[in-house]
C-alpha cells in the first residue's frame, strides 16, 4: 500500500488539495532492496553488548604519585589491577620496576562485544567421553544445555538420533532463498478523490479485474474505465506477482 501526499497546509493553516500528476508504474520491482549478506568491505556489527573500556581510578593514581611514582606508572598499576586498591597497585609497580616500558604511556585495550558462541568446558567433555561418547557428541550436548553437565548427559540419552546430525550452518539470506516470494508487484487498485478541495467531493475506487480491465466503483455505480486516472490517485494497492 502506497499513499501519495495530496493535501498540504497553507500559511494560515488551511488544508489545500494538491493536483499533482504522478508517474505511477504498473509494476514495481523491490528485489534490489533485499539484503544478500555482507558486501565486500562491509563488517558485521557486534551482536553482544560492548562494555566501556576500563579507566584507571584517579584516586589510586593520586595516592601512588604521592609515593613518588610517575604518572604513567601509576595509571598502569591501577589499570592492570582493575582499580582494586592502592595496595594492590603498589605491589604491581614493585613487581614491574624493571620493565623498560613502565613509564611509557598506558595503552587501554578496547573491549570487544560478547559473541553468541558457546564455549564448552573441556573437563565436562572428557567426562562425557568417558561414558562412551565422542568428542563431537559431547560438545554438541553441552552446547545444547548451556554447559550443564547433568542436563547434557540427559540430553544425550533422550536425543540419541540427533547425536551425529550436523548443525545447520547460518548463511547470508539471498532473494532466491527467501520464502515470501519475489519482489515484483503489480498495481491492483487505487483510490482517487473527486472534488476541487478538501471540503467537498468524495472518493472513488478503481480495481483491476482478472482480465486486466480497470473497473470504476463510484458508490452504487460500477463501470469499466477506459483511461483510469492513475496519476491522480491518493492510495495505491500493489499485489505480489
Amino acid at each position: 500500500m502506497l499513499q501519495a501526499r495530496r493535501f498540504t497546509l497553507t500559511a494560515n493553516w488551511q488544508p489545500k488539495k494538491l493536483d499533482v500528476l504522478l508517474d505511477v508504474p504498473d509494476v514495481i520491482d523491490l528485489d534490489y532492496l533485499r539484503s544478500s549478506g555482507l558486501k565486500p568491505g562491509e563488517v558485521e556489527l557486534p551482536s553482544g553488548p560492548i562494555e566501556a573500556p576500563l579507566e584507571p581510578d584517579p584516586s589510586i593514581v593520586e595516592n601512588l604519585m604521592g609515593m613518588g611514582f610517575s604518572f604513567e606508572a601509576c595509571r598502569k598499576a591501577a589499570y592492570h589491577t582493575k582499580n582494586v586498591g592502592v595496595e594492590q597497585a603498589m605491589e604491581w609497580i614493585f613487581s614491574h620496576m624493571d620493565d623498560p616500558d613502565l613509564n611509557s604511556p598506558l595503552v587501554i585495550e578496547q573491549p570487544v562485544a560478547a559473541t553468541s558462541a558457546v564455549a564448552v568446558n573441556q573437563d565436562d567433555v572428557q567426562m562425557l567421553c568417558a561414558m562412551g561418547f565422542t568428542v563431537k557428541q559431547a560438545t554438541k550436548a553441552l552446547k545444547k544445555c548451556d554447559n550443564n553437565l547433568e542436563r547434557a548427559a540427559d540430553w544425550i540419552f533422550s536425543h540419541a538420533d540427533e547425536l551425529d546430525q550436523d548443525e545447520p550452518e547460518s548463511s547470508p539470506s539471498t532473494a532466491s532463498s527467501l520464502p515470501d516470494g519475489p519482489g515484483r508487484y503489480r498495481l491492483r487498485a487505487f483510490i482517487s478523490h473527486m472534488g476541487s478541495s478538501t471540503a467537498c467531493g468524495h472518493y472513488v475506487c478503481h480495481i483491476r479485474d482478472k482480465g486486466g480491465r480497470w473497473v470504476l466503483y463510484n458508490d452504487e455505480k460500477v463501470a469499466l474505465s477506459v483511461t483510469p486516472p492513475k496519476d491522480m490517485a491518493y492510495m495505491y494497492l500493489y499485489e505480489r506477482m
Side-chain angles (χ1 to χ4, degrees), residues 35-45 171-173:
S35 172
S36 57
L38 293 176
K39 302 294 190 300
E42 293 182 340
V43 179
E44 186 175 2
L45 292 175
S171 58
S173 298

Side-chain angles (χ1 to χ4, degrees), residues 77-91:
Y79 176 79
H80 288 294
T81 56
K82 300 186 184 300
N83 294 326
V84 174
V86 176
E87 183 178 351
Q88 291 81 357
M90 184 173 59
E91 291 178 357

Side-chain angles (χ1 to χ4, degrees), residues 26 130 135 173 189 197:
D26 282 334
V135 173
S173 298
S197 71

Side-chain angles (χ1 to χ4, degrees), residues 49-189:
I50 301 179
E51 298 179 356
L54 177 67
E55 291 287 344
D57 188 334
S59 62
I60 296 178
V61 174
E62 183 179 356
N63 276 278
L64 293 175
M65 290 181 64
M67 301 176 189
F69 301 110
S70 70
F71 174 68
E72 290 298 340
C74 297
R75 295 186 75 238
K76 284 187 176 181
Y79 176 79
H80 288 294
T81 56
K82 300 186 184 300
N83 294 326
V84 174
V86 176
E87 183 178 351
Q88 291 81 357
M90 184 173 59
E91 291 178 357
W92 186 93
I93 290 181
F94 285 137
S95 62
H96 292 79
M97 291 293 292
D98 296 332
D99 292 357
D101 60 345
L102 177 63
N103 298 307
S104 59
L106 170 66
V107 178
I108 297 179
E109 298 180 0
Q110 297 298 319
V112 296
T115 61
S116 58
V118 178
V120 298
N121 187 314
Q122 293 303 315
D123 292 337
D124 292 341
V125 172
Q126 294 302 321
M127 292 187 67
L128 291 175
C129 290
M131 300 169 63
F133 302 105
T134 66
V135 173
K136 181 179 179 181
Q137 293 170 341
T139 301
K140 182 176 182 178
L142 288 168
K143 286 184 176 181
K144 291 286 187 181
C145 300
D146 297 326
N147 274 328
N148 186 303
L149 179 60
E150 184 177 350
R151 286 172 50 204
D154 291 339
W155 186 92
I156 286 180
F157 288 112
S158 59
H159 295 79
D161 55 336
E162 301 179 25
L163 290 179
D164 296 317
Q165 293 180 2
D166 293 329
E167 292 291 324
E169 297 182 0
S170 59
S171 58
S173 298
T174 59
S176 60
S177 63
L178 292 175
D180 60 344
R184 289 173 59 83
Y185 296 82
R186 177 183 287 110
L187 182 63
R188 179 63 187 272

